[in-house]
């Protein structure tokens, strides 16, 4: 049977249509013959049929052209659905009506044809022609009983993963159809909160209430649950996932409606549960005026354009239709990746945006100034930074030069080029930092705060003493960890689960703030449109999340159990490795308590201490001098003196510093 199916599927389209036409001709004749049988009986129909052979000639002549006109031979059997059934009803009904008219006209001169024969021919044709197509659909799918449960002699183990679908709505039913077509998983049940459909059968699958999941597992042998509730908000999805955690089932989900509508994914694109759903917080709708203020019709530059935040900023900026989007990136591979993605989108959507890929370092102030002047940049989003805490702790000089001097170079170039808006992407680690990364980011904030208060500053490093008029509005946006960024714990946990564990967590009490990358980028753009200059904006990150609890949830939603002292036979263990150099147990977003609400509910404005530009320049000169001679004890002391709350924990672990200490 499989060989015949493959042979038929591989036939040329023309040959398939000929087979369909021949089959329909036979079915039309059979329907007409059966119509006489139903009306006259099997033993009394021979004589009338002989007198009405013209009907057996006329019926296919009338029916087949109508079937062609209605497109019945254009339908693909494997995707035969409700629309095709409606088409068959229309075509058969019209052909029966025309045949009935022929009978009426002809009966005036010949033997009368019983009127009920036409009626019988109509419903028999629909059953046979429609039924054949439904049967062939099941045949080409490779499973005659794919939509049937509890039928004797039909249950069998085909080796496919048995899955239950949470959500019996349109998305769930589309998913069932797609899974049956793909034959990678076997849907065995629906789970739905709607009491009115509980216990009923939809698409051949029984619908269970959530409280009966254990019963469903016993009855069907389900191994996974696929979440098909794309319209549910994050709060509702979090409730569902929290409930499903208790069952030994791998939980995955189908994409949301926006992803489906945009064509980025299909309904059968199964994915791991979005960790953002575990946070349970819905993004606040953007305020269009804030999004567009610094971008629409302007020339925009993003530094660190190939990074996690930088690339998402580029995606959202592109949708706001600037005249020019300049991608400034030090890594050639990262620049190529984001440029390829954006070029494809520009071509597909016919966007009137000029994309400019620019290789360069933020430590090259001359190039930054040339670029900004050449392309008349209006807005700069400065996302370029070293942000991995332990790596920066081992490479203090690079952290200072990239995060502090790189930011200062970019800001001074923007000031000299007359850039209207400058937005710094900062971090919660800048608040009372215990590490070099956080302290250098806070120092970068201090530099922008100092510059913004100078109407005509003398540039740092400029010995001529020439001052420049400041027309640039500097703002800073501070937030916590973003889900899925480079160095994020989430991809690491996914990888460790796939490899069988253990999951590594630094400390049982460690907590972090989390936000999705798209939400963070959108809020950065809106925050950058507010303020008068020197403002430090803080994003509302919601409640902090305990990393060990996040690890446990990810293990449970993978259908596995946590191995511990209480459960020594669990699947995956969680190991505590100890805090890494410079790492804090808890992160904060505010240095003080002086916070003011803004026009956006998710963005706050922090009023914090700052240094004057002249004082800060002196501190920066001393810091650079210490870096030049690898005096990291002096670097640490200068950071302590300059950055409020900087309290390093542990010894200096810079690799060059340690090497010097080992030398005789």
């Amino acid at each position: 049977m499989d060989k015949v199916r493959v042979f038929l599927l591989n036939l040329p389209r023309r040959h398939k249509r000929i087979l369909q036409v021949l089959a329909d001709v036979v079915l039309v004749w059979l329907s007409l013959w059966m119509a006489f049988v139903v009306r006259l009986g099997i033993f009394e129909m021979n004589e009338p049929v002989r007198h009405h052979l013209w009907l057996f000639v006329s019926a296919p002549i009338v029916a087949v052209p109508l079937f062609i006109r209605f497109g019945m031979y254009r339908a693909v059997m494997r995707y035969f659905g409700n629309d095709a059934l409606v088409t068959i009803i229309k075509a058969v009904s019209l052909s029966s009506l025309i045949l009935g008219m022929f009978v009426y006209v002809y009966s005036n001169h010949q033997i009368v044809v019983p009127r009920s024969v036409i009626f019988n021919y109509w419903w028999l044709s629909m059953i046979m022609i429609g039924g054949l197509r439904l049967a062939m659909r099941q045949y080409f799918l490779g499973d005659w009983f794919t939509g049937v449960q509890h039928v004797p002699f039909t249950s069998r183990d085909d080796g496919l993963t048995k899955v239950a679908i949470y959500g019996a709505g349109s998305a769930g039913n589309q998913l069932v159809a797609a899974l049956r077509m793909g034959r990678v998983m076997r849907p065995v049940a629906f789970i739905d909160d709607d009491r009115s459909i509980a216990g009923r059968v939809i698409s051949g699958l029984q619908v269970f209430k959530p409280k009966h999941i254990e019963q469903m597992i016993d009855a069907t042998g389900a191994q996974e649950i696929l979440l098909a509730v794309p319209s549910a908000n994050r709060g509702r999805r979090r409730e569902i996932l929290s409930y499903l955690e208790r069952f030994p089932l791998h939980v995955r989900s189908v994409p949301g409606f926006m992803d489906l509508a945009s064509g980025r994914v299909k309904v059968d694109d199964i994915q791991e549960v979005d960790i953002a759903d575990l946070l349970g917080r819905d993004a606040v709708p953007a305020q269009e005026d804030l999004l567009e203020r610094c971008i629409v019709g302007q020339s925009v530059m993003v530094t660190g354009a190939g990074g996690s935040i930088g690339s998402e900023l580029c995606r959202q900026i592109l949708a706001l239709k600037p005249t020019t989007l300049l991608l400034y990136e030090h890594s050639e591979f990262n620049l190529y990746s984001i440029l390829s993605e954006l070029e494809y989108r520009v071509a597909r959507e016919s966007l009137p945006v000029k994309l400019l890929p620019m290789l360069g370092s933020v430590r090259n102030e001359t190039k930054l100034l040339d670029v900004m002047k050449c392309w008349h940049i209006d807005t700069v989003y400065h996302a370029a930074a070293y942000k991995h805490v332990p790596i920066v702790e081992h490479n203090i000089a690079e952290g200072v030069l990239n995060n502090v001097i790189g930011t200062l170079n970019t800001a001074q170039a923007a000031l000299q080029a007359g850039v209207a808006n400058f937005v710094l992407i900062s971090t919660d680690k800048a608040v009372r930092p215990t590490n070099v990364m956080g302290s250098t980011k806070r120092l970068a904030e201090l530099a922008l705060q100092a510059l913004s208060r100078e109407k005509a500053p003398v540039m740092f490093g400029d010995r001529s003493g020439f001052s420049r008029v400041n027309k640039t509005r500097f703002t800073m946006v501070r937030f916590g960890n973003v889900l899925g960024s480079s160095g994020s714990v989430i991809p690491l946990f996914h990888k460790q689960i796939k490899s069988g564990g253990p999951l590594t967590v630094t400390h049982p009490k460690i907590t972090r703030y989390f936000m999705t990358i798209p939400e963070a980028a959108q809020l950065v753009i809106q925050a950058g449109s507010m303020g008068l200059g020197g403002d430090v904006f803080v994003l509302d990150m919601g409640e902090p999340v305990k990393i060990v609890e996040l690890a446990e949830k990810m293990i449970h939603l993978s259908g596995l159990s946590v191995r511990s002292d209480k459960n020594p036979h669990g699947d995956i263990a969680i190991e505590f490795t100890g805090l890494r150099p410079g790492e804090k147990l808890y992160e904060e977003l505010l240095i003080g308590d002086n916070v003011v609400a803004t026009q956006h509910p998710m963005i706050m404005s922090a009023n914090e201490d700052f240094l004057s530009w002249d004082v800060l320049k002196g501190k920066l000169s001393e810091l650079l001098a210490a870096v030049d001679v690898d005096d990291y004890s002096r670097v640490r002391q200068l950071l302590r003196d300059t950055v409020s709350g900087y309290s390093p924990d542990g010894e200096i672990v810079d690799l060059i510093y340690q090497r010097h200490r080992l030398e005789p």
Side-chain angles (χ1 to χ4, degrees):
M1 293 294 287
D2 287 340
K3 290 181 179 179
V4 174
R5 181 169 57 247
V6 172
F7 171 76
L8 291 174
L9 288 173
N10 291 332
L11 282 176
R13 183 65 183 155
R14 183 167 172 269
H15 293 175
K16 291 177 182 177
R17 287 183 175 179
I18 292 172
L19 285 177
Q20 285 181 282
V21 170
L22 292 175
D24 284 344
V25 170
V26 172
L27 290 175
V28 166
W29 284 339
L30 184 59
S31 299
L32 191 55
W33 182 78
M34 287 294 297
F36 278 98
V37 171
V38 171
R39 173 64 180 83
L40 302 173
I42 189 70
F43 299 110
E44 298 180 7
M45 60 165 291
N46 291 335
E47 188 67 22
V49 166
R50 266 200 314 271
H51 289 290
H52 297 93
L53 288 176
W54 63 272
L55 274 176
F56 288 85
V57 176
S58 303
I61 292 175
V62 171
V64 171
L66 285 173
F67 293 173
I68 295 172
R69 182 67 183 84
F70 276 82
M72 286 172 53
Y73 303 118
R74 291 195 297 269
V76 179
M77 289 295 180
R78 282 169 291 170
Y79 306 108
F80 189 81
N82 294 336
D83 292 340
L85 283 174
V86 171
T87 300
I88 289 173
I89 292 172
K90 291 178 180 178
V92 169
S93 299
L94 186 57
S95 68
S96 300
L97 181 62
I98 294 173
L99 190 64
M101 292 175 61
F102 283 180
V103 168
Y104 175 77
V105 173
Y106 190 74
S107 295
N108 290 333
H109 308 286
Q110 301 291 336
I111 300 173
V112 176
V113 176
R115 295 175 184 175
S116 60
V117 167
I118 300 301
F119 175 76
N120 292 336
Y121 167 73
W122 170 70
W123 65 263
L124 285 166
S125 295
M126 280 197 294
I127 290 175
M128 290 188 179
I129 293 172
L132 176 67
R133 281 161 170 77
L134 288 172
M136 294 308 293
R137 180 185 69 177
Q138 297 305 111
Y139 173 67
F140 287 128
L141 284 173
D143 190 350
W144 290 94
F145 301 99
T146 189
V148 181
Q149 284 185 321
H150 314 305
V151 176
F153 312 113
T154 64
S155 59
R156 55 188 172 81
D157 186 5
D158 52 11
L160 300 181
T161 301
K162 296 178 181 178
V163 296
I165 313 297
Y166 197 112
S170 58
N173 278 274
Q174 290 179 56
L175 180 59
V176 167
L179 293 176
R180 286 172 173 168
M181 188 72 61
R183 295 187 57 76
V184 176
M185 298 178 178
R186 173 173 289 277
V188 294
F190 277 118
I191 305 166
D192 202 283
D193 304 311
D194 189 349
R195 295 181 180 178
S196 65
I197 61 174
R200 302 178 68 180
V201 174
I202 298 177
S203 295
L205 304 178
Q206 185 174 346
V207 182
F208 291 85
K209 293 180 181 179
K211 65 180 181 181
H212 295 150
I213 290 181
E214 288 281 5
Q215 175 187 336
M216 181 274 296
I217 296 173
D218 294 337
T220 65
Q223 300 161 285
E224 292 191 15
I225 291 181
L226 303 182
L227 203 59
V229 285
S231 60
N233 60 36
R234 284 233 163 91
R236 177 59 188 143
R237 292 171 75 89
R238 183 183 185 181
E239 290 177 11
I240 294 172
L241 291 172
S242 296
Y243 180 75
L244 295 178
E245 257 189 88
R246 68 189 72 177
F247 302 105
L249 298 171
H250 187 182
V251 180
R252 293 195 281 176
S253 66
V254 296
F257 280 141
M258 292 307 296
D259 290 328
L260 294 171
S262 65
R264 289 193 294 268
V265 293
K266 303 186 293 296
V267 72
D268 57 333
D269 283 339
I270 309 300
Q271 57 194 20
E272 294 298 328
V273 170
D274 189 348
I275 301 302
D277 292 336
L278 296 178
L279 303 182
R281 189 184 65 176
D282 289 306
V284 174
Q287 297 182 16
E288 293 299 323
D289 60 322
L290 293 178
L291 277 179
E292 298 173 351
R293 188 173 298 169
C294 297
I295 295 174
V296 174
Q298 299 184 45
S299 184
V300 181
M301 174 178 173
V302 179
T303 67
S308 304
I309 290 294
S311 60
E312 182 60 30
L313 280 171
C314 291
R315 295 183 191 100
Q316 297 199 22
I317 290 168
L318 191 67
L320 296 170
K321 298 180 181 178
T323 56
T324 304
L325 177 55
L326 196 148
L327 317 173
Y328 196 88
E329 173 61 54
H330 183 59
S331 166
E332 181 186 32
F333 176 77
N334 287 352
L335 182 60
Y336 169 77
S337 298
I338 186 62
L339 177 64
S340 300
E341 177 186 334
L342 298 182
E343 283 180 334
Y344 173 75
R345 185 173 165 189
V346 166
R348 184 186 63 191
E349 301 177 18
S350 301
L351 297 175
V353 181
K354 181 184 291 184
L355 290 176
L356 301 173
M358 193 69 64
L359 271 175
S361 170
V362 292
R363 283 152 67 169
N364 187 342
E365 185 175 3
T366 302
K367 179 162 188 175
L368 286 166
L369 180 57
D370 289 343
V371 167
M372 292 183 196
K373 282 185 173 180
C374 179
W375 295 103
H376 307 287
I377 300 297
D378 298 299
T379 302
V380 172
Y381 293 95
H382 182 56
Y386 289 146
K387 58 186 179 182
H388 194 277
V389 169
I391 290 179
V392 174
E393 208 68 20
H394 286 296
N395 298 271
I396 293 176
E398 292 302 307
V400 170
L401 295 173
N402 200 68
N403 294 355
V404 180
I405 304 305
T407 299
L408 187 60
N409 288 343
T410 311
Q412 291 190 155
L415 188 151
Q416 294 176 76
V419 172
N421 309 292
F422 186 101
V423 183
L424 169 66
I425 313 300
S426 192
T427 172
D428 58 353
K429 294 173 179 61
V431 178
R432 281 181 278 274
T434 59
N435 50 67
V436 174
M437 194 281 276
S439 62
T440 54
K441 290 295 285 184
R442 177 56 188 152
L443 197 50
E445 290 181 356
L446 288 170
L448 297 194
Q449 287 177 297
L451 270 178
S452 67
R453 285 163 174 77
E454 294 290 327
K455 293 183 178 179
V458 177
M459 298 295 98
F460 175 75
D462 187 351
R463 297 180 181 179
S464 67
F466 180 72
S467 61
R468 290 171 173 78
V469 177
N470 184 1
K471 297 181 179 180
T472 304
R473 183 174 60 90
F474 293 102
T475 55
M476 292 133 275
V477 186
R478 188 187 292 160
F479 55 91
N481 297 274
V482 287
L483 296 169
S485 67
S486 58
S488 170
V489 71
I490 308 302
L492 175 62
F493 283 170
H494 275 306
K495 184 178 178 180
Q496 290 175 336
I497 289 172
K498 286 182 179 179
S499 63
L503 268 63
T504 53
V505 179
T506 55
H507 193 280
K509 292 184 179 180
I510 194 167
T511 64
R512 289 292 181 266
Y513 290 99
F514 284 103
M515 179 179 281
T516 65
I517 295 177
E519 183 183 7
Q522 188 181 81
L523 289 173
V524 163
I525 294 172
Q526 293 175 87
S529 299
M530 297 190 291
L532 302 175
D535 305 86
V536 177
F537 292 108
V538 180
L539 304 187
D540 182 354
M541 301 290 295
E543 295 298 320
V545 177
K546 290 187 74 170
I547 302 301
V548 67
E549 291 180 0
L550 190 62
E552 290 172 353
K553 287 179 181 291
M554 291 182 67
I555 292 172
H556 290 149
L557 292 173
S558 296
L560 305 170
S561 59
V562 179
R563 189 189 311 147
S564 62
D565 294 338
K566 295 181 180 179
N567 183 24
H569 301 295
D571 301 300
I572 294 181
I574 296 177
E575 291 185 358
F576 298 103
T577 58
L579 292 175
R580 297 171 295 182
E583 199 167 37
K584 295 170 68 174
L585 274 180
Y586 313 101
E587 298 292 359
E588 304 166 89
L589 290 167
L590 295 171
I591 294 175
D593 297 324
N594 300 321
V595 63
V596 180
T598 69
Q599 64 189 90
H600 195 291
M602 298 288 287
I603 303 172
M604 301 171 288
S605 178
N607 297 313
E608 296 177 348
D609 296 334
F610 62 92
L611 301 175
S612 69
W613 179 236
D614 289 335
V615 171
L616 186 63
K617 283 198 297 181
K619 297 286 187 182
L620 292 175
S621 296
E622 292 183 59
L623 186 63
L624 277 182
V627 168
D628 284 342
V629 296
D630 297 329
D631 187 353
Y632 295 113
S633 296
R634 177 64 177 159
V635 169
R636 173 175 279 194
Q637 187 58 48
L638 287 167
L639 289 174
R640 273 180 170 159
D641 295 342
T642 311
V643 176
S644 175
Y646 175 48
S647 179
D649 184 15
E651 298 294 323
I652 298 173
V653 295
D654 182 88
L655 298 177
I656 293 177
Y657 176 80
Q658 290 182 329
R659 178 64 179 171
H660 286 337
R661 291 184 65 185
L662 292 173
E663 291 177 352

